[in-house]
Amino acid sequence: MTTSAYIDTTAGQSELTIHDPADGSVVGTLPVAGRDEAAAAVRTAAAARAAWAATDPAARGKALRAAAAAVAEHAEELARLNTRETGKPYADALGGVEAGVATLEQYAELGPVHRGRSLRGSMLAADYTVIEPRGVAVLLTPWNDPVAVAAGLLGAALVTGNTVIHKPSERCPHTGARLGEILAPHFPDGVLATLTGGPDLGAALTAETDVDMFAHVGSSATGARIARAAALTGAHVIRENGGNDPLVIDDDVDPVWAAQQAALGCFANSGQICTAVERIYVHRGIADDFIAALTAEARRRNTEDPLGPLVDGRMRTLVHEQVEEALRLGATAAEGGAVPEGPGAHYPATVLLGCSDRMSIMTEETFGPVAPVQVVDSFEEGLALAAAGRYGLAANVLTGRIEHAHRAVAAFKAGTVKVNAVFGGAPGGAAQPRGESGSGFGYGPELLDEFSLVKVVHVGLPQTRDAAGNRP
Ligand code: NAD
């Protein structure tokens, strides 16, 4: 088995060398910013804070709109870089850049109309709220959809008047650095900086006392570290972290359609999506037909329509360790489950049967193309198992019964619930993740609130005197 062959993120590195996970070839090398550069970037962002905060919101929106257009012009270049660094299939990578452009455009429009409220006080007073930027915002982003995720945070942070330091993932620093180069010229000096580096650089930034806010999209373990560090500096934190999303399948749905949904949820982007389906509870009434169809879906992907590689050898090792543990504890592999020969970090679409909550494949996030299945005797049993666990990002149910759908919506302790479609949803849908999946709004119009502070203002009537000392 190949282990850690592509990227070593151990402490003390001065450079990041990125290898293409499809074939191991070198994509490039970038410097790692150290503690001093982190401190200097925060000083620069802090110095630019007041002027950017005082810039008219309409002007900030205009700058962001121009920046979005520049990203659109470089969409193919960014998508190619993303594919080379992380193995994300090119069409998906391009879709991610396009989604990022759309998000930048949305925030360019929403920013200038984001506003406070007028309050009802006494007739002879004015009472209202104003919103202000938080100040210096540090954005710590992941590799699995690097442009779309970063663009959302960047757009919302910048248009609300924050100065920003973005640290993209150490697994795709070229994509992040290039995005920064394209965006930065559209803003005044000091308003946007991009630093490349790994967890050490992220940790150095979280120790800086002049940072007002951290926005982290990434793993739950990292999110918890950031929240602890920010508790010492007083910075505001939002965390959009990992998930272990369940899929409950009722006995009245078409098992072939359910298998297609499950396969899409488990295997898209080789399972490296925060809201991927991570564990399946299928009703015994349709289990045999469902399993046969799901196994066929996985086999088709392994023969006719191969998945892209995992992001690197380290990730493949982690995924395979979870699969091996499940097999040791009694699961069987109906399809996949073995590390293939050859270069790159490929892993097959895998279907595991006989899974249970003794296995980490059912209780932890698995960032790989694995569909672990547990057969349940009733919808209620599936729902109870699905609602358990430490994560609360999203949850799925396939059912023909409206009552079961409503019960699932109420039972899932998750920010997002999807009924009869494992992906999809209206634009602007933003939720607060629960449990170890994070806290705060990481998307949608509410993200503008996260990057803002509200001030309540009460203006009373003054008492004045004329030149002779008389009250008018
Ligand atoms: P990660 O947490 O390892 O890395 C994300 C960012 O945090 C990177 O820039 C990294 O360098 C930085 N970082 C690492 N250690 C740090 C520290 N101690 N202090 C400050 N910053 C630090 O996550 P990842 O592996 O890049 O991404 C995959 C994870 O992200 C998965 O768990 C996935 O579910 C999650 N994710 C969640 C969402 C969501 O919206 N909930 C979206 C995409 C990805």
Side-chain angles (χ1 to χ4, degrees):
M1 187 191 314
T2 311
T3 54
S4 304
Y6 300 108
I7 173 169
D8 180 0
T9 56
T10 51
Q13 278 184 279
S14 60
E15 288 182 333
L16 290 171
T17 298
I18 303 299
H19 297 258
D20 186 332
D23 57 16
S25 63
V26 173
V27 178
T29 298
L30 278 174
V32 167
R35 192 167 287 276
D36 291 348
E37 282 138 304
V42 173
R43 277 197 302 277
T44 303
R49 188 163 40 189
W52 186 237
T55 302
D56 282 352
R60 296 198 298 248
K62 191 173 172 196
L64 189 59
R65 208 171 304 118
V71 176
E73 275 171 34
H74 291 87
E76 291 179 3
E77 177 196 352
L78 284 165
R80 272 196 303 275
L81 261 180
N82 183 183
T83 296
R84 285 215 67 204
E85 289 198 297
T86 70
K88 196 178 182 75
Y90 178 76
D92 293 350
L94 189 60
V97 179
E98 286 165 357
V101 171
T103 313
L104 290 170
E105 287 169 346
Q106 283 164 11
Y107 285 128
E109 298 304 317
L110 288 173
V113 296
H114 184 230
R115 58 185 184 263
R117 289 181 296 142
S118 78
L119 306 170
R120 297 289 307 275
S122 98
M123 278 280 287
L124 297 180
D127 291 272
Y128 55 94
T129 67
V130 289
I131 46 168
E132 298 174 342
R134 286 186 179 270
V136 175
V138 168
L139 316 180
L140 302 150
T141 58
W143 52 268
N144 64 325
D145 200 1
V147 179
V149 169
L153 296 179
L154 284 160
L158 289 164
V159 83
T160 44
N162 298 276
T163 54
V164 173
I165 299 167
H166 175 213
K167 194 204 83 59
S169 167
E170 60 278 12
R171 279 171 156 137
C172 55
H174 294 86
T175 310
R178 188 72 190 110
L179 178 65
E181 281 170 8
I182 295 165
L183 291 170
H186 297 278
F187 301 94
D189 284 351
V191 168
L192 172 61
T194 307
L195 294 183
T196 52
D200 277 0
L201 172 60
L205 286 163
T206 59
E208 288 293 326
T209 52
D210 217 2
V211 175
D212 301 285
M213 171 166 176
F214 294 97
H216 173 246
V217 181
S219 68
S220 297
T222 302
R225 271 181 218 119
I226 293 169
R228 280 196 290 272
L232 299 178
T233 66
H236 178 58
V237 184
I238 56 169
R239 294 177 290 122
E240 303 301 313
N241 291 158
N244 185 28
D245 296 3
L247 169 63
V248 179
I249 303 173
D250 213 348
D251 64 350
D252 66 341
V253 298
D254 174 358
V256 173
W257 169 71
Q260 287 162 352
Q261 286 288 310
L264 179 67
C266 292
F267 304 144
N269 201 30
S270 302
Q272 301 169 116
I273 299 177
C274 55
T275 52
V277 170
E278 299 273 331
R279 48 195 173 117
I280 299 167
Y281 303 100
V282 60
H283 195 293
R284 194 172 297 285
I286 62 161
D288 288 348
D289 290 346
F290 167 76
I291 287 167
L294 178 60
T295 305
E297 286 285 335
R299 192 160 297 145
R300 184 174 63 71
R301 284 166 172 81
N302 291 337
T303 49
E304 296 160 31
D305 191 12
L307 303 176
L310 300 190
V311 66
D312 59 25
R314 275 193 305 138
M315 185 59 75
R316 180 166 74 171
T317 301
L318 285 174
V319 169
H320 191 57
E321 280 171 2
Q322 285 183 317
V323 169
E324 282 185 319
E325 183 214 50
L327 296 174
R328 258 197 325 277
L329 292 175
T332 54
E335 176 64 20
V339 174
E341 297 290 321
H346 295 274
Y347 200 80
T350 294
V351 177
L352 295 180
L353 306 180
C355 294
S356 76
D357 60 11
R358 291 165 57 230
M359 304 166 185
S360 62
I361 202 92
M362 294 298 268
T363 57
E364 295 297 327
E365 183 174 54
T366 307
F367 238 45
V370 183
V373 181
Q374 180 169 352
V375 177
V376 293
D377 288 320
S378 66
F379 180 76
E380 288 68 26
E381 183 191 357
L383 199 54
L385 288 164
R390 307 190 317 274
Y391 295 90
L393 193 60
N396 308 273
V397 61
L398 304 180
T399 180
R401 299 180 180 91
I402 193 78
E403 186 210 333
H404 282 186
H406 288 312
R407 276 168 47 196
V409 169
F412 287 136
K413 297 183 203 103
T416 301
V417 175
K418 289 166 281 178
V419 180
N420 293 333
V422 295
F423 291 132
Q432 293 150 308
R434 319 284 158 93
E436 292 189 18
S437 291
S439 71
F441 289 98
Y443 304 90
E446 292 83 357
L447 186 54
L448 298 170
D449 299 333
E450 296 282 4
F451 279 108
S452 305
L453 285 168
V454 175
K455 186 178 275 173
V456 175
V457 182
H458 169 72
V459 183
L461 283 183
Q463 286 282 337
T464 56
R465 289 176 190 276
D466 63 19
N470 299 317
R471 287 187 180 157

